[in-house]
Each structure stands twice: as C-alpha cells, then as structure tokens.
Amino acid sequence: MTRSDSRWSGLRRVFRLPASAERLARDVDDELRFHLEGRIEELVAQGWSRAAAEAEARRRFGDYAAYSRQARDIDFITHHQRRRMDIVDATRRELRQSARALLRTPAFSLVALVTLVLGISATTSIFTVLDSVVLRPLPYPAPGRLVAITHPVSGAAVTAGHWGVSPAGYFFFRREARTLEASGIYATGTLSVRSSDGAARVMSAQITSPLFGVLGARPAVGRLLTPDDDVPRGPVVAVLGYGFWQRGFGGDRSIVGRTIDVEGQPVLVVGVAARDVDLPMPSAFASQADFAGFSVDVWLPLQLDPAARPVNTHPYTMLARLAPGASAADAQRELATLTARLPEIAPSAYSPAFMRQYHFSVAATSLQTQVVGASARVLWVVFGAVGLVLLMAAANVANLFLVRLEAHRREAAVRAALGAGRAHLAVHYLSESLLLAVIAGAVAILVSWGALHLFIAVAPPNIPRLASVALGWRAIAFAAVLSIALGVAFGLIPLVSRRDVDTATLREGGRGLTSSRTTRLVRDALIVGQMTLALVLLAAAGLMLRTVEQLRHVKPGFDPRHALTMHVHIPWSRYAGWAPVAAFHRTLQEQVSALPGVRGVGGATDVPLVSFGFCSIVFVEDHPLAPGEVPPCVKVTEAAPGFFSALSIPVRGRVPDWHDAEAGTAAVVVTRALAERFWPGANPIGRGIKGNGSRPPFYRGVGVTDDLRGEGLEKPPVEAVFFPIIPIREAPLWQPPNDLDLVVRTSLEDPTTLVPTIRRTIAAIDPAVSVDRVQTLTSVVGHSLARVSFILALLAIAATMALVLSAVGTYGVIAYLVTQRRSEIGLRMALGARAWQVTQLVVGHSLRLALLGAVVGTLAAAGTTRLLASLLYGVQPTDPATFIAAVGFLLAIAVLASIAPARRASRVDPVEALRLI
Amino acid sequence: MPAPSELDVVRGTLDLMILRALSWGPMHGLATLRWIEQRTRGELQIEDGALYPALHRLEQKKRLESEWGYTDSGRRARFYRLTPAGRRHLTAELSRWERYTLAVSRVLAPEPAQ
C-alpha cells in the first residue's frame, strides 16, 4: 500500500528547502482533497451519482474550511518547532565537531588559545583603565557643560604652567561673563579638627557659595552654604563631607546645629553634603595631594570681599557651568576679552608689563580634560602599545589558521566533493574559530581581572580615579565583542584565501608539496609584520629603560638614605606670629634630636621633591628693576636651622644657625642654579636678595648649595632661596611657618621604627600639634620616578609579550612548514644534502623574514618613538644604540625560535620521507 | 442526516484509535478512517474531517511521522506511521484503557447474587 522511503528522511529534511506558508497550506489541501476524492469514488462505486456522491462526501467530511485551517495551524507550529530543534541540533553537532577538530591538533589549539588570551586580556585590561579614568564622565549633572578656568603663563621653566585665578579676577569674570551661567572658586588644604581622640587632619575646601550650584550638589542633612554665609566677616559655619560625617561622627544627624573645633575655633555645622558631592581635583596650590584618594571632609566659605584691593596672587581654582547655548570656545573667547581688560579694572594687581612678561592669558578647558590631563596621554600611548600586541596576536593566530588550512586542503576537497556547499564549509570553519575565540575570551576575562588587581597595586598614585578601576560589564562586553570579532575574522580567512577547492587536489594525492604563492606571501607578510611590531615595542621599551637608568643617576642634591619626612601642623590659634612658631620649632628640634638613633632634625615650609611646587617673586639687589619690568619668580622656603644637615645638603660657605635666626642677621642660603642666574661667575656670598619689597635692607647670602632637584628628578636643578624662620623687622617674609615639613635623619636602616617615638615626643610638647604624611626620603625619591617607571614597566611587559608572540608565531609556522615539506627535505637529503645544510635552510628562512621585519621595523620605530619624546630623559627618541640592541634581540629570538624545527628537519629520515611521495 | 446511534467521540479516544490503527502498519488518512469504521462496525460515526487535526497533532507530538508517497493506484497521498515513541505511548494507553473500563464496568455491573 505504501512505498516507504528512506532512512535518510531526517537528513533530507535538513537539506530541503525551507517550507513557506503556501507550501504547508498546499500540502494540507492535497491531503484533504485526496480524502474527499477517495470517499467520492467509494460512493460512486456503491452506485451514487457523481454529484450526489460529492455532496454526501462533503457532508460526511464536516466543515472542510475549519478542519483545513486547524490542520494547517498545527502544521505551522510543528514546522517552527522542528526548525528550532534542527538549528539547536546542528549547532551542537558543529560545536562537537569543532571541539574534536581542535583537540586533534593540540599544539595548534593551545598556541592559538594562549596567544589569543594574551592579546584579549591585555587589551581588555587597558580598556578598563581607560574607561574608568579617561572615558567615563565626571559624576556631576551635565558634566560636559563644566569648564575649568585657568591662567596659562609662560616664562622661565620654573614658572610656566597654569595658574589659578585671583579674587579680583574671579569677581570680575563672574560679574561680566555672559557665557558662564554660574561659577565658583575653591582652595583645598588640610585642617585639624579636634575630636575626643585628639586632633585629626582632614581635607578642607574653602569655596564661594555658587560652587555647590556649579557642581549640582545636594545636602544629605541640613543645608549647604548660601551667599549669606559667604560675606566678609560672616558667620563661622561649615558643611561636612559625607564620608567624614560617617567616619568622624558616626552618621549622627544631630551634629547639624552643633559646633566642632576646627583649628582651635568653634565652627557651626549647618549641614552635611550628599554622598557623591566632591571636588574633581585638588586646587592649584595644593601640594602632594593624592588625586586618587582625594575627598573633601569639610567645606568652608571663603568670605572674600569683592571690594578689597586687588592683589596679584592666584591661589584659587575656578569652575564654571556654561550658559545654555554657549560652548567652551565661546567662553574662551569672552574670557580672553575680559582678561585683556584686567589691567584697566585692577591696575594695582595687573600691570601691562606683568601681562606681557608672563604672557598672561586665560584658558577655559572642559573639566574632563583638565582632570584627566597628562595621564590621558600616557594611557593612550599604553593603549596603542597594547593594540599593537593584539594585532600581533591576531596576526599570529591568523597565520596558524592559514597553515592549518593548508594542511587540511585534502579534507576540504573531500567535503566539497561530498556536496558541502560554500556556505556549509563557511559554517564549519567559522564554528571552529568562534569556539576557539570564545573560550579565549572567557579565559581572558579571568586573566584581566587578576591583571587589574596587580595594576592597581603598582600604579603610581597620581593617576586620577584609579580607585574606581574595576572590571565592569562594559569591559566584559568589550572582551566579548573583541573575541567574537576575532573569531569571525579568523573564520573568514579560508573563504578569502582559497580559490575553489577542486578535485584536482584529490587527484594529486594530497601531497601538499606546493602551496599557492599567494598564501605563502600572505604568511610571510604576517610574520614580517609581527617582527616589525615587535621591534617598535622593543625600541620603545629600550628607550624607557635608558630613561629610567639616566634618572636613577640624577643626584637629588641631598642624601635620602636613613631619613624621614613628615608634615607638622602648628595651630594658628595657639601659635600666632613668628616668635611663638620659632620657639616651638626650637623646642621640637631639641627634643627630637635627643632621641636615640636621631642624627639631625630640621624643618622648612617646603622640602625638595616632597613639596617644592610654586614660585614667589623676589628682588635682587644687584639687579634693580627697570620701569615696567617684572620681578623674577623663584622658589622660596623658610628653613629652620638644622635643615641642611638633616638633609645632608652640602653647602659652601656657612649655614645659618639659631643665633642667626634670633639675632636677625638676615642670613640666607641660595642654590647654585639661582646663583648662576643672578650672579653668573661671581661669588654669591654677601649678595642681597629679598621677598616682599625691593628696597634695602636685603637678606644676604651666606652659603651656596650644589645642584638641588626640587620638583622632579627630570627637571633642571631648582633656583631657590632658603630664608630664615624669623624675618628681620624691616624685611618681612610671607607668613610664619605653621605648616612645616620636618626632616629627621637617623642612623637606623629602617627609620620608620622611630615614628611612634617621634609622635609621642611631639604630642608631649603639645597635643594640639598634628603629624601626618610620614614617609621615608627614599620612597619620596622613588615616587618621583614613579611615572616613568610605571610606563617602563608597561612597555616592558608589552615588549616581552610581543617577543613571546613573535617567537611563538615563528616557531609555529616554521614547525608546520617543516612537517609539510618533509618529503621535499627527504628528497634533498637523498640527493646528497647534509644535515647542517638542511638546518641552514630552515633557520635561513626564519632569519630572512626577521631581517626584513627588522628593516621595516626600524623605519616604523623611528617614526613612532617620537610620540614618547616628552617622557624621555637623557636619551634621544632615535638613539642608535637602543635601536641596534633591539634589532639584535629580535634576530636572536628569530634564530632561537627556528632552531628546534630546524633540528627536527635535519633528522628527517630520507627513506621515510620519500615513502610519502 | 445524522444517524440516530451516532455518539460524539472524545478526542483522546480518537487519538488512541488512530494509534491502534496504525500499529498494524503505515496508512494514509482515508485508509485509517476506513479501518476504524470497519472495526467499530459502523457503531461510531466520526466526521471525516475531524481525523485530520488529530493526525497532525499526533505528528506534532512525535507519536506519528508522515511522508508523502504513492498509493497502489498511483495517487499521491500522505502516509502516517507510528514512531517508536508512539508505539510506547500506545502500549501504555492500552493498558490504562483496559484498567479503566474494567473498573467502570465493575461499578456498573449488577449486584452479584449472594
């Protein structure tokens, strides 16, 4: 009755054309009509007339349309279900096959996997850092509308840079600027707040009241500062930061309305800021503030007087919100016009000569740029390097796939002969490469997680927002997209590279002696490309290495060994004026010097490399100013006796002692660089110099130090004057040194063991004096190398990975080639070639590629190392020695990578090999 | 006009009968219906069309599989055949049906004379 069909019905279903709605409907129709016809014939055979039979058949059938529809609907659902199952099955089948294929060639799979993991994890890690630090916007409402306003100033190396704004400038801009909707200024610092545990140092910000509005801040408890708080001689109030409120007061809401002890004064707390309220960065004059951990604990009103006499100091950072419709460029233009008017608005502070000499201008930069600043450039450089490594990894794996493809040409031909369409083959290759890539991506995410933890541990502290770096969903998405993209790219290689695989290959017997010329070229090109990239990275790493070496040899000008530095704050309320501060300091020095293990104690307002930052104006006796000329700006410090010996700074001449300080001999010490600047070639001893004012009496130099590094080891020796801590009456200094950086020289290997004793000693003198920021001088010197060392570390890692990838890539490809060419090698040896000649053949191939890569790489490196120029010290971006070393390294690696396959080639048994032909 | 002894057939019973019919070998829809009509000796009248949703549903549940083939007279028809799963289902349902009818007939049987 039936003709049953094949066992292959399932297979046929896979290859059948997909059913459409019409086909399904047609099938049901055919089926039902067959039934009706059958019934009609039956009835006709029983004697019914055709017409009656039809009617009866229809009657017996029932509602044809309804049943037909029901059957059709069921078929639809069935069809879709089956299709879904088929796809699932097919996918599972493909995956299993791919997994098996990958496992059959474990060497290839492992190498490709490790390579991909390296590339993907490195890129993902750096992307995460970039995302957190550079790309993620600041946590303020509409952060793109915020700008930071600074005054770029040019001049001698020490003074150039960006200054903050002056009070007069701020009030003027605020009044006149139409492109700014709201603006505020702030200055950050530290204060001591007394609690039951003693005096704690907290981060403070003094602000003008509109600043909260600019930041879009809300209070968590109570209120924020208002314009009524911000008037001269206004109320003594403060707003607490959220974190400090939790930490210091246990989140107690009743603190609002009570007073707290700030610097010995009672201050009324009017509110607590919400959790996310904070400043984007410390203000211009803040020294040594740690960007990563910066957070405001106490907000105070500046209470500036708009009507006060304008002065030429620029300690405040200005933030503003752009008016609707205005851009940063618009604000820049308007502010530039306003700045040009400063000499007429505030002639006592801004003379035309001043404006000219310092090229005083204004810059309105987006806050994002300001905060991220220099780190952005470093990070993009690193991202570029890592991108190169990824490219190399991809090239490597692509090459491996290509070679593997060659080896499997026979298999591909068989598949094609069996009827696998191009699409089917594509799916096959794609599933293999996708499987590999996805596994690599998953492993890479794990590796990145670990690498990021490591990164945060070793990164220098002045990369902003480092604490927020974490592997989030964006990074995971990035890794996923990258893996899939790579998988797809590799899967497409066979489709792009091969022409039609035809049966000719099969007829050939699959010896695989010949490979298409294009494939060989592509393969070689990929290896050469890798070598090029490796060389660029090697050269960059080499240059950074030289830089670090050079910097290490720079003498700071003092002896950092066995010494400590710490910041001591002497409260103004208890020690107001020069004499009390000096007296405290003398007591401090005497008591701490008496401690066992201490060899010298001295303090100053700023210590080299620790807190040397900005410059002040001085007047030199031998260089009276021409009318309209602007006085020079150099580094000044007030240093107590004992400072130079504590730091072991050699001084020619003599060093001022307590007699000088108390008797008022006006003795100062200058650095050699300063002496060279003002009295070149002459003896600086006895020369006059002073700070506030240009008329006698002057302070006199009594000693000269050697070259001293102030801001950083890579900057030129600093021009500085060390004034005494008590001024002479006729020549006032700036302000008493209530904030002192103390240096303690010890005889101990580990000076930190003395810290508790020192703290106790100071507390015994006065418990209101606080001590913080304790560090050893060796770590200070180390920190100044931090940024360069960090970049070096990253580049070295990248270069190592690049070398490893090159070596692995070369090894992999050459090993495959040797396997493929066994018969050829056997032939050669049978014809009389010796083992060493075969080795030479193989190694020669590798060397040739490496040489080509080296040549191209040298050219590429010469072009790209310029990008590093700003980070280098003591070495040129195209330093020949470094380049030659890099090339040598590369060639050595190329030779090493090909030795093992070469030895294997030379040991090929000609008889065995020939049998394969 | 519907015959006076026509009963409505419960769908599940129809499925069972279809499966039973096909357990003797693959058939097309019309043949299956004829077989059932023969076996019920005309007692059960099923609307012809009702068969087809039942057949297609059984195919969806993978108890049947279908194939287009040719009858002896050369006509193109859709043939249905039991799957192994269908066969298993049939066996289980048969024994359940027997137990069910036995239980019901015990309830409905006259009291045994004591």
Side-chain angles (χ1 to χ4, degrees):
Chain A
M1 185 170 188
T2 70
R3 208 176 18 202
S4 159
D5 253 62
S6 49
R7 290 167 191 121
W8 290 74
S9 64
L11 189 62
R12 274 181 43 217
R13 193 170 56 237
V14 170
F15 284 114
R16 193 174 56 189
L17 291 167
S20 64
E22 295 135 22
R23 259 188 103 245
L24 285 175
R26 236 195 339 224
D27 278 355
V28 168
D29 233 14
D30 288 349
E31 188 178 9
L32 264 50
R33 247 174 316 118
F34 168 85
H35 182 107
L36 274 178
E37 276 301 317
R39 272 293 192 222
I40 292 172
E41 276 179 18
E42 211 179 280
L43 291 170
V44 163
Q46 284 173 15
W48 293 59
S49 72
R50 177 92 194 171
E54 274 184 32
E56 174 64 12
R58 278 196 186 273
R59 186 195 67 83
R60 281 222 249 173
F61 195 88
D63 188 345
Y64 182 93
Y67 286 127
S68 167
R69 201 176 347 111
Q70 278 181 40
R72 227 185 310 147
D73 290 344
I74 295 172
D75 274 358
F76 256 150
I77 298 175
T78 312
H79 174 74
H80 283 301
Q81 276 180 353
R82 293 272 166 84
R83 273 263 289 232
R84 254 201 312 266
M85 287 300 306
D86 281 348
I87 293 176
V88 168
D89 281 340
T91 316
R92 224 179 312 158
R93 214 178 338 129
E94 275 298 336
L95 276 180
R96 233 200 325 255
Q97 273 184 2
S98 307
R100 255 191 302 200
L102 287 176
L103 285 174
R104 257 198 307 254
T105 51
F108 159 84
S109 309
L110 198 63
V111 169
L113 193 71
V114 169
T115 311
L116 281 178
V117 167
L118 272 182
I120 297 177
S121 68
T123 321
T124 308
S125 307
I126 297 300
F127 171 82
T128 311
V129 175
L130 264 181
D131 187 41
S132 305
V133 174
V134 178
L135 296 175
R136 197 171 292 167
L138 297 166
Y140 305 119
R145 307 295 295 160
L146 291 176
V147 289
I149 296 165
T150 55
H151 290 299
V153 159
S154 70
V158 181
T159 66
H162 284 252
W163 290 2
V165 303
S166 65
Y170 163 64
F171 284 118
F172 179 52
F173 292 154
R174 193 170 86 173
R175 214 171 48 232
E176 300 288 326
R178 299 265 161 277
T179 54
L180 302 178
E181 179 178 72
S183 57
I185 57 177
Y186 65 90
T188 54
T190 52
L191 294 172
S192 68
V193 171
R194 196 76 160 289
S195 64
S196 50
D197 306 319
R201 300 289 294 167
V202 299
M203 297 288 201
S204 71
Q206 291 180 289
I207 69 172
T208 56
S209 57
L211 189 68
F212 278 132
V214 172
L215 296 177
R218 301 240 167 292
V221 187
R223 64 173 178 85
L224 298 175
L225 298 175
T226 65
D228 292 328
D229 301 317
D230 198 20
V231 294
R233 285 172 300 281
V236 184
V237 295
V239 170
L240 298 181
Y242 190 87
F244 179 57
W245 176 54
Q246 292 290 329
R247 277 194 323 266
F249 302 95
D252 180 9
R253 297 178 82 91
S254 68
I255 190 66
V256 176
R258 292 214 302 252
T259 62
I260 58 175
D261 182 317
V262 176
E263 294 283 322
Q265 271 202 309
V267 173
L268 177 68
V269 176
V270 295
V272 178
R275 185 194 288 267
D276 51 1
V277 173
D278 224 323
L279 288 174
M281 55 195 176
S283 66
F285 273 17
S287 60
Q288 234 209 344
D290 186 354
F291 274 69
F294 180 76
S295 174
V296 177
D297 298 318
V298 177
W299 303 82
L300 297 161
L302 267 173
Q303 298 179 339
L304 293 172
D305 185 358
R309 186 166 176 276
V311 287
N312 191 311
T313 62
H314 302 81
Y316 300 115
T317 306
M318 182 168 171
L319 294 183
R321 193 169 274 283
L322 291 170
S327 70
D330 297 332
Q332 169 84 29
R333 272 194 297 272
E334 184 180 26
L335 287 171
T337 322
L338 291 174
T339 306
R341 286 173 51 196
L342 278 174
E344 77 186 61
I345 300 289
S348 57
Y350 295 96
S351 68
F354 165 81
M355 306 286 285
R356 255 199 324 274
Q357 171 111 357
Y358 286 93
H359 301 111
F360 192 82
S361 59
V362 71
T365 27
S366 94
L367 189 56
Q368 183 86 13
T369 319
Q370 190 76 355
V371 169
V372 173
S375 338
R377 196 182 16 194
V378 165
L379 286 175
W380 282 115
V381 164
V382 170
F383 192 64
V386 167
L388 285 185
V389 171
L390 180 68
L391 218 58
M392 286 182 59
N396 239 341
V397 178
N399 231 349
L400 287 176
F401 267 104
L402 260 181
V403 171
R404 187 159 177 268
L405 181 66
E406 289 260 317
H408 290 167
R409 255 167 65 238
R410 246 179 60 193
E411 180 190 328
V414 169
R415 278 180 187 257
L418 279 183
R422 234 178 128 85
H424 201 90
L425 273 179
V427 167
H428 168 71
Y429 288 126
L430 210 58
S431 62
E432 262 185 33
S433 60
L434 266 177
L435 183 64
L436 196 66
V438 166
I439 294 180
V443 176
I445 290 180
L446 287 175
V447 172
S448 298
W449 184 82
L452 277 174
H453 278 262
L454 201 67
F455 178 91
I456 296 180
V458 303
N462 55 355
I463 291 188
R465 297 154 85 183
L466 196 62
S468 65
V469 169
L471 201 68
W473 64 267
R474 270 158 73 120
I476 294 180
F478 176 80
V481 167
L482 192 60
S483 316
I484 292 178
L486 283 173
V488 169
F490 294 140
L492 291 178
I493 288 178
L495 294 179
V496 164
S497 79
R498 77 185 179 104
R499 300 136 303 147
D500 295 304
V501 173
D502 55 13
T503 49
T505 324
L506 286 175
R507 268 184 270 127
E508 228 182 78
R511 272 168 306 171
L513 276 184
T514 60
S515 50
S516 85
R517 197 151 170 271
T518 341
T519 320
R520 231 176 328 149
L521 273 176
V522 170
R523 205 175 42 226
D524 285 350
L526 280 175
I527 294 206
V528 169
Q530 283 184 58
M531 302 248 170
T532 308
L533 295 175
L535 190 75
V536 171
L537 284 173
L538 269 177
L543 288 172
M544 290 308 298
L545 189 66
R546 294 278 302 269
T547 301
V548 170
E549 275 308 293
Q550 297 279 23
L551 280 179
R552 258 195 238 288
H553 286 135
V554 169
K555 295 220 223 331
F558 58 89
D559 184 2
R561 295 171 303 180
H562 314 308
L564 286 174
T565 173
M566 61 198 76
H567 181 253
V568 174
H569 177 75
I570 309 170
W572 302 302
S573 53
R574 294 162 68 90
Y575 300 85
W578 298 96
V581 171
F584 176 85
H585 191 84
R586 185 159 192 180
T587 319
L588 175 66
Q589 191 192 30
E590 282 165 4
Q591 298 222 356
V592 175
S593 312
L595 293 175
V598 173
R599 293 254 282 271
V601 178
T605 49
D606 298 299
V607 173
L609 288 189
V610 174
S611 44
F612 263 36
F614 292 79
C615 71
S616 300
I617 292 181
V618 294
F619 297 88
V620 180
E621 184 181 34
D622 292 341
H623 299 287
L625 293 177
E629 188 189 343
V630 178
C633 194
V634 298
K635 183 64 203 155
V636 304
T637 318
E638 292 155 12
F643 179 71
F644 295 97
S645 62
L647 275 177
S648 292
I649 299 179
V651 177
R652 273 175 299 129
R654 71 174 184 88
V655 167
D657 53 22
W658 283 108
H659 171 74
D660 286 289
E662 280 156 1
T665 60
V668 295
V669 175
V670 300
T671 61
R672 196 166 79 132
L674 187 118
E676 283 300 304
R677 177 173 172 184
F678 293 129
W679 312 291
N683 189 357
I685 311 279
R687 304 283 174 164
I689 189 168
K690 77 185 292 189
N692 297 327
S694 60
R695 284 201 290 252
F698 284 88
Y699 289 82
R700 304 251 157 234
V702 298
V704 188
T705 72
D706 281 337
D707 280 337
L708 191 65
R709 303 286 161 166
E711 274 189 80
L713 290 176
E714 73 276 11
K715 299 247 173 39
V718 68
E719 301 163 350
V721 189
F722 294 87
F723 286 94
I725 60 169
I726 302 181
I728 59 177
R729 207 161 353 121
E730 306 84 357
L733 293 174
W734 293 267
Q735 61 180 35
N738 286 73
D739 280 288
L740 211 57
D741 277 323
L742 197 69
V743 176
V744 179
R745 175 159 298 278
T746 71
S747 56
L748 304 173
E749 266 311 312
D750 180 16
T752 55
T753 52
L754 274 182
V755 172
T757 326
I758 297 178
R759 278 191 194 272
R760 269 200 304 274
T761 315
I762 297 182
I765 306 176
D766 187 344
V769 169
S770 64
V771 174
D772 65 346
R773 282 193 242 139
V774 181
Q775 34 182 336
T776 61
L777 279 181
T778 29
S779 74
V780 166
V781 174
H783 274 150
S784 70
L785 283 177
R787 197 167 82 128
V788 206
S789 309
F790 176 65
I791 299 174
L792 168 65
L794 282 178
L795 279 177
I797 292 174
T800 311
M801 289 209 293
L803 273 181
V804 168
L805 287 174
S806 292
V808 163
T810 311
Y811 171 84
V813 169
I814 301 239
Y816 254 107
L817 282 181
V818 165
T819 319
Q820 290 304 104
R821 293 169 72 179
R822 286 188 70 199
S823 2
E824 176 193 332
I825 294 173
L827 197 59
R828 282 180 189 258
M829 294 186 79
L831 288 177
R834 312 269 274 284
W836 65 266
Q837 283 174 318
V838 172
T839 312
Q840 201 182 48
L841 185 73
V842 176
V843 177
H845 185 187
S846 170
L847 256 183
R848 258 197 316 266
L849 293 176
L851 269 173
L852 193 56
V855 167
V856 179
T858 310
L859 292 173
T864 46
T865 47
R866 272 170 228 293
L867 298 170
L868 280 178
S870 61
L871 300 166
L872 297 177
Y873 177 86
V875 64
Q876 290 285 30
T878 50
D879 180 48
T882 314
F883 275 56
I884 292 176
V887 168
F889 220 64
L890 191 69
L891 293 179
I893 294 285
V895 168
L896 270 175
S898 56
I899 283 205
R903 297 247 318 255
R904 211 163 356 119
S906 68
R907 289 210 217 100
V908 163
D909 180 6
V911 178
E912 266 298 325
L914 284 176
R915 217 179 282 155
L916 287 174
I917 295 185
Chain B
M1 264 152 292
S5 63
E6 185 174 66
L7 304 167
D8 281 323
V9 183
V10 177
R11 189 191 288 178
T13 338
L14 176 59
D15 282 2
L16 198 52
M17 289 195 287
I18 292 176
L19 287 178
R20 186 60 168 139
L22 290 173
S23 71
W24 301 110
M27 290 188 275
H28 55 67
L30 185 54
T32 312
L33 190 60
R34 285 195 189 125
W35 188 93
I36 294 176
E37 283 176 345
Q38 255 179 359
R39 289 294 284 255
T40 61
R41 296 185 201 152
E43 282 285 338
L44 286 181
Q45 293 280 343
I46 307 166
E47 265 196 342
D48 287 16
L51 194 66
Y52 286 93
L55 281 171
H56 283 229
R57 238 190 310 268
L58 281 169
E59 183 177 13
Q60 183 184 59
K61 293 191 202 152
K62 300 234 178 82
R63 295 188 182 140
L64 297 180
E65 56 188 12
S66 76
E67 212 164 39
W68 283 94
Y70 291 89
T71 64
D72 293 340
S73 45
R75 292 244 187 89
R76 198 164 160 269
R78 192 170 189 161
F79 290 85
Y80 292 87
R81 155 191 33 224
L82 270 189
T83 62
R87 206 170 282 281
R88 282 195 299 271
H89 180 82
L90 176 61
T91 318
E93 285 301 302
L94 277 179
S95 72
R96 212 150 59 89
W97 176 263
E98 277 175 26
R99 285 200 310 267
Y100 170 73
T101 47
L102 200 57
V104 169
S105 56
R106 274 206 215 105
V107 169
L108 298 177
E111 290 281 339
Q114 279 294 5

